[in-house]
Amino acid sequence: MFELDDLSVTRDGREILHVGRLSLGTEGVTAVLGHNGSGKSTLMALLARQIRPDAGRIALEGRALDGYRQRDLARRVSFLPQRLPPVAGLNMRDLVGLGRFAWRGALGRMGARDHAVIAQAMLDTGCEALADHLVDTASGGERQRAWIAMLLAQEAPALLLDEPTAALDLAHAYEVMALLHRLSRVAKRRVVVILHDVNLAARYADRIVALKQGHVTFDGPPRAFLDPEVLRSLYGIEMTILPHPDGHPQAAVA
Ligand SMILES: Nc1ncnc2c1ncn2[C@@H]1O[C@H](COP(=O)(O)OP(=O)(O)OP(=O)(O)O)[C@@H](O)[C@H]1O
Ligand SMILES: [Mg+2]
């Protein structure tokens, strides 16, 4: 889906991201991991065209990302930023409805299908009971789920999510990841998701890409990632891998 070629981003005279050749969105779920400040959000902002690279190229489906009209891009790529902006006066349903903007007709009116997609997205993320609540007074996790619902309502084949589970309780974090995994299977969506939880990533991702100081230092399947040596070199701490009765090994701080 995305093809990156010799990308570089420099801020304040420092190269904060350098990526050689990399394809992203080729697997169902790709998790991007790495220490704070490793360049994850920068990488995702490039994919979502929120920022432009200082050097290098990004192509989406064989065409330069730069060349897409905004609406065409929104029909292909949806993006959940790490920092969610305030949305004064909107209730949860209104927010989710914003996800339909790229699909509305000339008059901008929503039809029966739009309403059905919105309702389903709220159901999938467990915010249907909160539909009439104001987004800005909802809890952090409720807000985050409403934003994820908005992303789902956009119905783009590529979903980019920057730490979508950061504010979620354990159950909702697993539910959201299970949902993204399901979407990648049932609806053939391509999900690229930034996470900090190594075990959550290993359980639901098909591929893990890890960044360290702005460089890709690991790219492979979860089983190869859950390795004490890989984790030590990435995070600089000792971890052990524990077998788990359901077949998903778990990393734990040693
Ligand atoms: N606009 C900017 N100006 C200056 N420095 C920046 C800018 N954007 C990012 N950086 C720096 O680039 C580095 C990478 O930032 P980025 O937000 O991509 O990290 P991250 O991997 O998402 O971290 P986190 O896990 O904390 O979200 C950081 O050191 C950050 O301070
Ligand atoms: Mg970040």
Side-chain angles (χ1 to χ4, degrees):
M1 200 157 237
F2 292 97
E3 295 289 338
L4 287 60
D5 186 13
D6 215 13
L7 278 187
S8 176
V9 177
T10 300
R11 295 286 182 271
D12 302 332
R14 181 168 70 97
E15 190 178 49
I16 60 170
L17 185 72
H18 189 107
V19 178
R21 274 192 167 272
L22 187 71
S23 300
L24 281 171
T26 50
E27 330 282 311
V29 177
T30 301
V32 178
L33 285 91
H35 60 81
N36 292 136
S38 57
K40 304 179 299 296
S41 294
T42 304
L43 174 63
M44 193 164 272
L46 286 168
L47 300 179
R49 211 174 67 182
Q50 301 292 304
I51 61 170
R52 314 271 161 150
D54 295 297
R57 288 158 296 281
I58 309 175
L60 172 65
E61 290 163 6
R63 275 173 57 196
L65 191 61
D66 257 342
Y68 283 85
R69 286 167 45 223
Q70 196 55 45
R71 191 176 160 103
D72 291 335
L73 190 63
R75 288 184 174 192
R76 289 173 172 82
V77 179
S78 56
F79 170 55
L80 183 77
Q82 182 169 13
R83 271 183 290 268
L84 303 174
V87 282
L90 289 193
N91 67 30
M92 300 276 233
R93 189 188 295 104
D94 299 331
L95 174 66
V96 180
L98 293 181
R100 300 301 300 162
F101 76 96
W103 298 103
R104 281 187 227 152
L107 298 175
R109 262 194 236 122
M110 286 207 268
R113 173 156 160 70
D114 296 300
H115 291 296
V117 170
I118 292 164
Q120 187 62 47
M122 299 197 75
L123 206 61
D124 284 342
T125 50
C127 39
E128 73 280 11
L130 304 165
D132 297 315
H133 289 216
L134 283 177
V135 176
D136 283 350
T137 58
S139 81
E142 290 165 353
R143 253 163 52 92
Q144 201 162 25
R145 274 150 52 208
W147 278 90
I148 294 169
M150 187 201 79
L151 225 65
L152 299 180
Q154 198 175 326
E155 290 195 306
L159 288 108
L160 308 175
L161 305 98
D162 192 344
E163 299 198 33
T165 60
L168 302 188
D169 64 62
L170 197 64
H172 279 114
Y174 274 80
E175 261 172 42
V176 162
M177 287 308 297
L179 170 65
L180 294 174
H181 186 265
R182 211 159 54 237
L183 287 171
S184 78
R185 297 303 188 270
V186 180
K188 297 278 179 272
R189 308 280 188 96
R190 291 291 174 259
V191 178
V192 181
V193 54
I194 297 175
L195 295 171
H196 280 298
D197 184 330
V198 167
N199 291 315
L200 191 61
R203 186 174 190 126
Y204 290 107
D206 300 290
R207 173 187 178 195
I208 292 181
V209 172
L211 291 176
K212 185 178 178 181
Q213 291 167 3
H215 294 267
V216 175
T217 56
F218 177 91
D219 184 358
R223 279 191 183 276
F225 182 73
L226 285 186
D227 173 85
E229 190 48 51
V230 170
L231 294 170
R232 185 191 310 119
S233 94
L234 187 62
Y235 294 110
I237 65 167
E238 292 298 325
M239 301 196 74
T240 50
I241 308 301
L242 307 169
H244 195 271
D246 70 2
H248 293 282
Q250 301 274 308
V253 177

